[in-house]
């Protein structure tokens, strides 16, 4: 009898945990679908992974919506207390600089292969702005996932475009010249 109760308790715990994670996954999918339906589709050049594409798409949406807290949640190192102030300032700077452009037509070019990190260059067509950033596979407290390197607290740094970046997507065949 005692074994049966223990087995039942363990089974109930496993089922409850599964139901909770399924709810979280369903919520994430619903949020993604809602965001997708409320924004201009992202043009893509290069070879993103599904995860580097998804985090880039979310970044553009958060910029367009002006949601600093949601943008900060995409940062590669949000658990680093020393980095938190830089991340917050970077999110504010990026929104101020790119919000208008992120609300219109945007193309993201994914450079090189993306097994653990990928350089992304985003072209905001309506404002003729270009932003380069790195997405990377990183560990956070209790989870591993794709995040955005967000350490640009200086507004001048935010709007700087590397000199090698072409003026239009695909100009280098999605290969960095470095």
């Amino acid at each position: 009898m005692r074994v049966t109760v223990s087995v039942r308790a363990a089974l109930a715990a496993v089922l409850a945990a599964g139901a909770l994670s399924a709810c979280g996954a369903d919520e994430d999918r619903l949020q993604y679908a809602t965001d997708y339906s409320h924004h201009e589709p992202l043009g893509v050049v290069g070879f993103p992974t599904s995860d580097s594409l998804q985090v880039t798409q979310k970044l553009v949406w958060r910029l367009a919506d002006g949601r600093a807290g949601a943008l900060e949640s995409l940062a590669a190192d949000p658990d680093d207390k020393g980095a938190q102030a830089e991340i917050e300032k970077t999110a504010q700077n990026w929104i101020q600089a790119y919000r208008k452009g992120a609300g219109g037509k945007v193309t993201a070019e994914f450079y090189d292969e993306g097994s653990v990190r990928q350089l992304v260059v985003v072209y905001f067509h309506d404002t003729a702005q270009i932003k380069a950033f790195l997405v990377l596979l990183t560990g956070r407290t209790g989870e591993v996932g794709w995040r955005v390197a967000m350490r640009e607290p200086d507004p001048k740094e935010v709007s700087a475009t590397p000199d090698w970046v072409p003026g239009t997507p695909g100009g280098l065949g999605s290969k960095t010249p470095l």
Side-chain angles (χ1 to χ4, degrees), residues 3-178:
V3 172
T4 305
V5 171
S6 296
V7 170
R8 285 184 184 163
L11 182 58
V14 168
L15 290 173
L20 289 175
S21 14
C23 289
D26 286 345
E27 287 176 24
D28 289 345
R29 282 192 291 271
L30 179 59
Q31 181 63 52
Y32 190 84
T34 301
D35 281 339
Y36 191 86
S37 68
H38 287 102
H39 296 89
E40 183 88 21
L42 180 68
V44 176
V45 175
F47 303 97
T49 66
S50 59
D51 293 327
S52 66
L53 174 59
Q54 186 174 46
V55 75
T56 299
Q57 179 69 82
K58 286 179 180 180
L59 179 128
V60 172
W61 291 338
R62 302 307 170 251
L63 288 172
D65 295 342
R67 296 175 52 198
L71 185 59
E72 291 168 29
S73 75
L74 301 176
D77 46 9
D79 295 333
D80 178 351
K81 297 297 181 200
Q84 191 57 41
E86 286 184 350
I87 292 168
E88 289 172 6
K89 185 65 179 159
T90 299
Q92 293 167 4
N93 290 340
W94 283 16
I95 288 170
Q96 184 175 6
Y98 302 109
R99 184 173 186 183
K100 182 177 179 186
K105 184 178 179 188
V106 179
T107 300
E109 182 165 11
F110 294 81
Y111 281 82
D112 303 318
E113 67 89 25
S115 57
V116 294
R117 68 176 173 250
Q118 199 159 31
L119 179 66
V120 181
V121 177
V122 178
Y123 295 84
F124 301 100
H125 298 280
D126 293 353
T127 58
Q129 294 172 294
I130 300 172
K131 177 68 185 153
F133 56 89
L134 188 66
V135 295
L136 59 152
L137 187 59
T138 183
R140 289 176 69 176
T141 305
E143 67 181 71
V144 174
W146 282 82
R147 302 285 178 226
V148 180
M150 294 179 65
R151 291 271 187 103
E152 296 176 339
D154 180 356
K156 292 176 194 162
E157 188 179 2
V158 168
S159 57
T161 302
D163 60 0
W164 62 266
V165 172
T168 58
L172 294 176
S174 301
K175 299 284 183 198
T176 53
L178 309 173

